[in-house]
Amino acid sequence: MTDANVRIPEEAKDRLAAIAAAEGLSLRAYLARMAPTLLTPAERAERAEKARAALKEWNGYAPTASQERDLDHELDRRLAQVTGR
């Protein structure tokens, strides 16, 4: 296996290293363990489409694009409220 060098801000590296250490892992091991759990934008879109199809089949829920945007904005608003952003 070949290692790769990634340039990130020192603060980000320090934070990730602290999280890794708290779990008893090196930063390298932590990132290697985390990578397979992250989704690409295409994978997220595919999962979202499957979820929409399942909801429509299960209970007929099929929001319009406008309703989805409104719901996304409401979720963003609520997340900003609780995170202080």
Side-chain angles (χ1 to χ4, degrees):
M1 175 184 335
T2 305
D3 282 342
N5 291 319
V6 178
R7 296 181 58 84
I8 61 172
E10 188 75 21
E11 298 82 22
K13 182 197 75 81
D14 291 345
R15 178 172 172 77
L16 290 169
I19 294 167
E23 295 190 25
L25 298 169
S26 67
L27 178 55
R28 181 181 184 279
Y30 179 76
L31 293 173
R33 185 182 76 179
M34 184 176 62
T37 69
L38 301 174
L39 301 175
T40 66
E43 290 167 334
R44 284 193 305 272
E46 181 182 351
R47 282 193 180 184
E49 185 52 43
K50 286 181 179 178
R52 279 190 288 276
L55 282 170
K56 185 175 182 180
E57 181 180 329
W58 176 56
N59 66 7
Y61 181 69
T64 65
S66 176
Q67 289 170 322
E68 285 185 17
R69 278 191 303 277
D70 290 346
L71 291 167
D72 285 344
H73 290 305
E74 178 62 14
L75 179 59
D76 290 343
R77 184 190 70 75
R78 290 181 185 200
L79 288 171
Q81 186 177 16
V82 298
T83 62
R85 293 183 187 177

